[in-house]
Amino acid sequence: CGLFDARFFIYCEDSELCWRLRAAGWKIGVVTGARAEQASGFVSRPGVFAFLTTRNSLALREAVGGAGAVRQGVYDVAAETTKVLLRLAVRRCSPDERSRRRASVVGNIMGLIAYRANRWGAPPSWLPGAGDTRPNRQAKVNGGPDGAG
């Protein structure tokens, strides 16, 4: 069934691979006793998280459910974005929370556009709320990600 789909830059790549494995007749196993911990990225990189989950989940929906699933996905993103915009308009929140919510809205909109434009790979570097996905300028200056070199 192939390797990981290079279109996906974090988020949904494992689900897409499992879907292709199932479609090829393989069974997917789960280790029920295993424990893992992972932060979603919403707090540390809200714009990138929204962009990638929007774009990639629409592609996954298209592969699994076709055009109808994509329409439902667009509706879901529009509803979530509207809800966030309403929260911004009527609720008081901290400057950090306001910034995260704005970045999320921009990420959702740009994710929809990127899906429609068939743009894949890493998110745009100018997205607000990029967090730890923003290129490390110090690494470029010193020749390596750890500053050595």
Side-chain angles (χ1 to χ4, degrees):
C1 74
L3 301 173
F4 280 109
D5 187 333
R7 294 179 306 162
F8 297 102
F9 179 88
I10 60 175
Y11 304 120
C12 300
E13 74 282 4
D14 48 351
S15 299
E16 191 275 338
L17 179 63
C18 287
W19 178 80
R20 283 189 286 123
L21 285 166
R22 288 286 306 233
W26 290 84
K27 292 184 179 182
I28 306 300
V30 176
V31 179
T32 57
R35 297 229 186 259
E37 187 175 317
Q38 177 180 348
S40 72
F42 177 75
V43 172
S44 62
R45 57 180 101 86
V48 168
F49 177 79
F51 174 86
L52 291 170
T53 55
T54 295
R55 183 197 64 189
N56 294 358
S57 69
L58 290 173
L60 183 59
R61 286 173 183 250
E62 180 180 19
V64 174
V70 171
R71 279 191 298 278
Q72 182 62 49
V74 169
Y75 174 83
D76 292 346
V77 170
E80 177 62 27
T81 302
T82 301
K83 188 166 47 170
V84 171
L85 286 170
L86 288 171
R87 282 186 201 143
L88 279 170
V90 299
R91 279 178 130 184
R92 287 184 174 231
C93 55
S94 71
D96 285 345
E97 181 65 21
R98 185 170 285 290
S99 179
R100 273 195 299 276
R101 288 179 181 174
R102 283 187 187 131
S104 175
V105 167
V106 171
N108 282 341
I109 292 167
M110 295 311 300
L112 286 167
I113 292 169
Y115 170 75
R116 183 70 176 112
N118 206 24
R119 185 200 177 280
W120 302 102
S125 61
W126 56 263
L127 270 178
D132 60 356
T133 61
R134 191 172 306 284
N136 182 341
R137 291 186 184 162
Q138 189 65 34
K140 289 181 182 177
V141 170
N142 292 331
D146 59 359

